[in-house]
Amino acid sequence: MNMLRAGSSRLGLLNRQNVCPWNASVVRPYTSQAAHATSDKPADARRKPLFDKILIANRGEIACRVIRTARKLGIKTVAVYSEADANSMHVKMADEAYLIGQAPVSESYLKTDTIMEIVRKSGAQAIHPGYGFLSENAGFADRLESENVTFIGPPGAAIRAMGSKSESKRIMQEAGVPVVPGYHGENQDAAFLKQKADEIGYPVLIKAVLGGGGKGMRIVEKPDDFDMMLESSRREAIKSFGDDNVLVEKYLTTPRHVEVQVFADTHGNAVHLFERDCSVQRRHQKIIEEAPAPHLLPEVRKRLGDQAVAAAKAVNYVGAGTVEFIMDHDTQQFYFMEMNTRLQVEHPVTEMVTNTDLVQWQLEVAAGNPLPATQDQVQCTGHAFEARIYAENPDNGFLPDTGRLVHLQTPVPSSDVRVETGVQAGDAISVYYDPMIAKLVVRGDDRQAALRVLRKALEEYQVVGLHTNIGFLKRLAQSPDFVSGDVETGFINKHLDELFPRATDPSPAAVAQAALALIIDSNTKAAMATGAGGLLSPWAAVDSFRINALGTQTVSVMFGEQKYSAAVSVAKEKVYSVAIYKHTAESGSPSAKETATKVAEFENVRPSWVATAGGVGSTGGSGHLQALLGDRLCASNVVFSKDSTITVFDQGKMAVFQVPRPEYMDEEEGDSSGSVTAPMSCKIVQVLVGPGEEVAQDTPLVVLEAMKMEHVIKAPKNGKIVEVHYRVGDLVDEGKSLVAFEESDS
């Protein structure tokens, strides 16, 4: 067993703080009435002390989140990590860290025997499971109890009762809470389930009984799709939860997703901390959450909270939990959906409006102490949003992306802005885990104020190296219907034109900044390498400046399929003129003559360039460029990547340019047409066709798995399978050909 130890010396603490300082996730001052419900009373001699050391059986941002609260309370932390996470932030932050296995979660974070061995070695008194992984594993909770280790979560019995969608719905029905029509029984025969779906009426929703996070969930529009969707749901469920039982429910077409945060202790106390709205989703997964839910009637809000608390008490619940409801958008009639028996990903929005630290509440309750506040002491003040920053491509169906974070710059944290993350620049987003980069959490005095803070923070967020949803979130936060609070789970599909606008041309200033940064950075590095020194020294042979002459360097870049060029002329040292041209071909032929039309020209440009580490031709690099272009002083971050892209961040906008490759390189690589390619880095789960098979358009060809989600690749046309390039279990990079495909004439 390998072990890394982070020392307790002052130097060691400083090193860990430099990796992830406390203000990387600033929590608002913990001073509300709820926080200090007992602060004016004499110290209770019966109050039990908190733990000395806890193990965190998780990774990423939630592990970092727990470590920060533990550090604040003087509790030592033990991290566990897979081989893929050896250099991750949570490993560096913890007081101790232990290797537990290979990258796949089944060989690392789900290995309960290995985790228990580390508990014994480290002397940890309790385990915090975070969310996902083992957080809702009743057998694991039971085992900890039997081995006298505290599980910082509910007892196994409560997890079984409320973690099972079918059992929890039965409990709700007995308590008089309405549930969505459907089948929640034990008969899992495929033909029987399809019969129940026919009785319920399409569309129906297949859901994993132990599911969460959209995993194991499939919408079935028509009977012909039921069998394939059931099979896919079960495969995903068994991988994510170790259980492939499902339930079938009526799918409501215009619902809102509203959930209530509840907390209970071992003394019979239970409270709610108000509700959150999580209606805006993609792939059945939340993308932005807010608290409180907009436009709820007061009586509805009260009834939601009361029934959520009653649900928790009905199963003798202990710790943090979330009761989820599906609500009719128009009538606000709500139905119980499920209960998540853990701390939710979106818990920070509740913390922001109730001024609480819910991880601290978890630790208090797990130690055997009463809740820090009673129901009337918990107050909701202001409004908060959480935007999940994902490595994914919204323009490609929100498919997850993988790769290295070449450049990462976040908004400056404050009492009203939190950045909950487990990564830093240089880290990789792996195919093995969830693609979330961070959670951006903001607060304002009311919903409109919180939205202003959110929009500004999103403009300050910069990521280069992989696709992200930041641009999509910016458009979402500006959507008139979202601004007005008119939200429901079909929001994205109803606003496709608004949220996915056609690409517009880059501004001439963005093209100019890309060209200036590339020329200055390249020339400066070359001059330094040859010993010429100095920015654009007239004695350095690498630039166009010549004494008594006007030198010009031209940079060509691609913005999507559109070619631009910038002619940068040097009038005298450090003074430029920049002419921007847009290129069009005179005919459809690739070899046709191009016409270059001047679209802008900037005179007397005196750029200031401060380079950061790296640079063109190494591992990338970046720098800060400042230049007066026309009448606007532009101040931008420019990032160079190994794949020959130049990314310009200017005034909250991001423009990505590609430096064209020499034509001979494209000729050497040949033509990849006639193939079906992988839309993201993935693992092959099923191969449904073989060479020689005739297939119709939309016939499923291959099933892929990425970030624990399955994706079906279908035939783009009628045709014939020539070759299948991969087998089940193979790992495939994005863009690789999966199937050689020959289109038929019919």
Side-chain angles (χ1 to χ4, degrees), residues 205 268 291 309 313 341 383 397 430 498 517 540 577 597 612 651 663 677:
L205 191 64
V309 169
K313 289 184 174 181
T341 55
H383 204 97
S430 165
E498 179 185 357
S577 66
T597 304
T612 56
Q651 286 194 325
E663 292 182 3
T677 59

Side-chain angles (χ1 to χ4, degrees), residues 136 140 177 206 319 464 482 647 697 710:
E136 295 182 283
F140 184 60
V177 179
I206 301 174
V464 176
F482 185 80
T647 306
Q697 183 176 348
E710 287 193 356

